[in-house]
Amino acid sequence: MALSGIEIFKYLPRTNCGKCGVPTCLAFAMSLAAGKAELVSCPFITAESKTKLEEASAPPIRPVTIITGGKPLKVGGETVLFRHEKRFENPPGLAITISDVMSNEEIDRRLQAVKYYTYTRVSATLRPELVALKYQSGNPGTYAALAKRAKIETEAGIILLCEDVDGFLCAAEACLDRKPILCAITESNLDLLAPIAIDLKLPVVVRSNNIDGLAGLTDRLVKLGIKDIILDSGARNVKKALSDQVALRRLALLKKFRLLGYPTIAFPGEMTDDPLKEALIASVMVAKYAGIVVLSDFRGETLFPLLVARMNLFSDPQRPQATVEGIYPINGPDENSPVAITCNFSLTYFIVSGEIENTRMPAHLLIKDTEGLSVMTAWAAGKFGADNIGGFVKKSGIDSLVKHRKIIIPGYIAQESGGLEEQLPGWEILVGPREASHILSYLKSNWPAEKDLKPSRSEAP
Ligand code: SF4
């Protein structure tokens, strides 16, 4: 439950010493409440106040950190029901299922898939982070060998889908430094598996077919000292899974029911045999409100849209996504290639650069920093007019990359062409299409052949 600045202020020393970087304790309290400061910045806060503040300000859904071979994956920690209220904090981890009875070739393919499906979009790396290893062989040695391979051959976090004590112990020891998730503790095996999780300091999934049962299990685990808990309502059809996810989130957030304040796990791979349907169910679970989504397999055609949907849902709705300002070469441009400019709203960048790529014509695309605003919005805000475009083009260095002096501006700011000619003497301002989809026809009919391009002044006779 987030505390207000005034509530936090009551716990601070109130000496206004300024050591935390702001002049008063009240200002520091306000910064803490806004999430712009860390409690550790005040060296004088008492241990008692610190504990109280940490307890009181803990998110209603506990964040759980999953160890991977690279950056740890944090799930949970959510504070709102709807993205527009603030933002969703931690994107759910996506897992591929691998069984220890699969053929070596199939296991190879799946382990490779974890590394293979990596995409870059809006300067972000999109990829799945987890493997879910299923114990089906009945042979702890075989299962441990699979866990070892998953640890060595991937950087993924590991979920051990195993309720057998021997199988679990062998596999956990084979990948112990990856701190595998024990999936799952149930009413019937809690006494056997919980001590192992405590001993090895592992996160656990608790499973019960009803919400009261889940609360009962988390209560017992918390009393035993296990804090990193993930909830599985046991639902394996989309309707029940969705209603459970919503109920768990609402109980944790609206009713402040701490025993259900944990991230959840969903298994779309066990809800259908149809890969497309599975992807659709997974997208529902990403939106509402799974912390981990376990898929039966990774396929590029369904995984990529899922990764993009996840990225979009977990971006901050108050901050437009922006591409870094600069010159972007597309299709291997040279000194005769067209030069076009647009804003740095990421969606605009991706659409325009994608359309230019599709023309197969080499080009230089200049991206001007408009603070993530689209062309018309940036223009209306005075961030994409003749003055600032002219200044950017001059300092961008594009004049040293091309022989000609022609630049294409978006059709929506055609009215800036006169001003730009004044700002960029010697440059010819070409007004491009309004819609990115018309770039191909525009370039084909408007970009002059190489022999017609005007040479730079330094090369002019
Ligand atoms: Fe107050 Fe602590 Fe900041 Fe000093 S360091 S002003 S005591 S909050």
Side-chain angles (χ1 to χ4, degrees):
M1 169 66 180
L3 294 178
S4 69
I6 297 296
E7 286 167 323
I8 294 171
F9 178 64
K10 291 177 195 160
Y11 292 96
L12 297 179
R14 292 182 251 174
T15 57
N16 300 333
C17 70
K19 289 263 167 52
C20 53
V22 290
T24 64
C25 294
L26 184 59
F28 182 63
M30 294 301 175
S31 298
L32 274 178
K36 292 177 183 164
E38 303 264 343
L39 207 49
V40 291
S41 300
C42 172
F44 307 113
I45 191 163
T46 64
E48 192 191 350
S49 294
K50 191 175 172 198
T51 309
K52 277 187 184 152
L53 273 177
E54 280 172 349
E55 274 172 14
S57 60
I61 294 177
R62 180 183 167 82
V64 173
T65 301
I66 299 165
I67 304 298
T68 72
K71 191 176 159 208
L73 172 72
K74 200 173 179 187
V75 297
E78 301 300 333
T79 57
V80 292
L81 272 178
F82 304 106
R83 179 177 178 264
H84 62 259
E85 291 177 90
K86 188 180 167 205
R87 67 174 193 207
F88 291 158
E89 298 290 336
N90 296 304
L94 300 180
I96 185 173
T97 305
I98 308 178
S99 164
D100 67 349
V101 294
M102 286 173 175
S103 66
N104 262 334
E105 293 71 31
E106 184 60 13
I107 291 173
D108 278 345
R109 183 187 73 74
R110 287 174 183 245
L111 291 174
Q112 287 299 320
V114 177
K115 294 183 278 184
Y116 177 76
Y117 290 115
T118 300
Y119 309 89
T120 301
R121 192 177 162 88
V122 204
S123 312
T125 302
L126 309 184
R127 64 176 176 205
E129 304 85 356
L130 300 166
V131 291
L133 308 181
K134 207 167 187 173
Y135 183 52
Q136 290 183 300
S137 67
N139 182 335
T142 306
Y143 192 44
L146 176 61
K148 191 171 180 185
R149 282 194 63 187
K151 184 190 84 168
I152 293 170
E153 295 176 33
T154 74
E155 292 200 330
I158 298 172
I159 307 168
L160 295 177
L161 304 176
C162 174
E163 294 176 27
D164 176 79
V165 174
D166 292 337
F168 181 79
L169 258 179
C170 277
E173 277 164 9
C175 58
L176 196 53
D177 48 355
R178 203 62 68 85
K179 293 288 172 201
I181 301 170
L182 193 173
C183 183
I185 285 181
T186 61
E187 187 65 45
S188 60
N189 68 20
L190 187 143
D191 293 334
L192 289 173
L193 290 179
I196 299 174
I198 294 165
D199 198 30
L200 302 180
K201 298 186 175 58
L202 302 180
V204 302
V205 172
V206 290
R207 180 181 303 142
S208 174
N209 288 333
N210 67 73
I211 286 176
D212 288 342
L214 275 179
L217 286 171
T218 60
D219 190 28
R220 287 172 67 188
L221 291 179
V222 169
K223 284 175 180 155
L224 289 169
I226 296 178
K227 290 182 179 167
D228 288 336
I229 299 171
I230 295 160
L231 307 176
D232 175 10
S233 75
R236 296 297 184 264
N237 73 70
V238 63
K239 188 177 172 192
K240 174 81 167 51
L242 177 60
S243 79
D244 285 349
Q245 293 286 342
V246 173
L248 289 168
R249 174 68 65 96
R250 291 178 71 87
L251 284 164
L253 260 57
L254 302 183
K255 302 289 180 191
K256 319 282 185 275
F257 191 32
R258 284 279 182 191
L259 292 177
L260 295 175
Y262 297 95
T264 58
I265 187 169
F267 292 84
E270 295 184 16
M271 297 182 200
T272 176
D273 293 328
D274 177 344
L276 190 56
K277 221 181 224 177
E278 181 183 330
L280 289 171
I281 296 169
S283 67
V284 171
M285 295 298 130
V286 166
K288 288 188 179 295
Y289 290 111
I292 294 175
V293 178
V294 181
L295 300 166
S296 61
D297 197 357
F298 290 157
R299 298 171 185 82
E301 69 273 22
T302 50
L303 183 62
F304 177 65
L306 195 57
L307 289 166
V308 173
R310 181 181 72 167
M311 180 186 70
N312 289 339
L313 278 166
F314 283 80
S315 63
D316 187 341
Q318 296 166 60
R319 290 174 55 191
Q321 291 192 328
T323 300
V324 178
E325 182 175 270
I327 303 171
Y328 288 76
I330 299 175
N331 298 332
D334 62 18
E335 57 196 8
N336 295 312
S337 303
V339 174
I341 186 166
T342 191
C343 64
N344 81 330
F345 177 40
S346 286
L347 195 56
T348 302
Y349 165 74
F350 276 102
I351 291 171
V352 172
S353 61
E355 288 295 337
I356 295 176
E357 246 179 80
N358 290 342
T359 67
R360 298 181 192 278
M361 287 176 70
H364 302 275
L365 178 61
L366 268 63
I367 295 296
K368 159 94 181 71
D369 182 4
T370 55
E371 298 174 19
L373 298 178
S374 62
V375 169
M376 285 303 285
T377 316
W379 175 78
K383 298 178 192 301
F384 202 51
D387 288 1
N388 36 39
I389 292 177
F392 166 62
V393 172
K394 281 181 205 157
K395 71 167 191 201
S396 69
I398 188 64
D399 54 354
S400 63
L401 296 179
V402 291
K403 283 200 304 190
H404 62 82
R405 291 293 180 265
K406 293 173 188 289
I407 185 166
I408 304 165
I409 63 171
Y412 279 112
I413 56 163
Q415 61 273 49
E416 296 296 320
S417 58
L420 261 174
E421 275 170 5
E422 285 174 23
Q423 290 291 327
L424 296 171
W427 283 79
E428 185 180 342
I429 311 302
L430 306 174
V431 176
R434 290 182 158 216
E435 303 302 330
S437 55
H438 298 153
I439 285 176
L440 174 62
S441 55
Y442 174 85
L443 284 178
K444 290 221 156 129
S445 50
N446 290 283
W447 191 252
E450 190 177 330
K451 64 183 172 49
D452 300 327
L453 289 166
K454 183 180 165 187
S456 69
R457 276 173 288 175
S458 60
E459 288 178 358

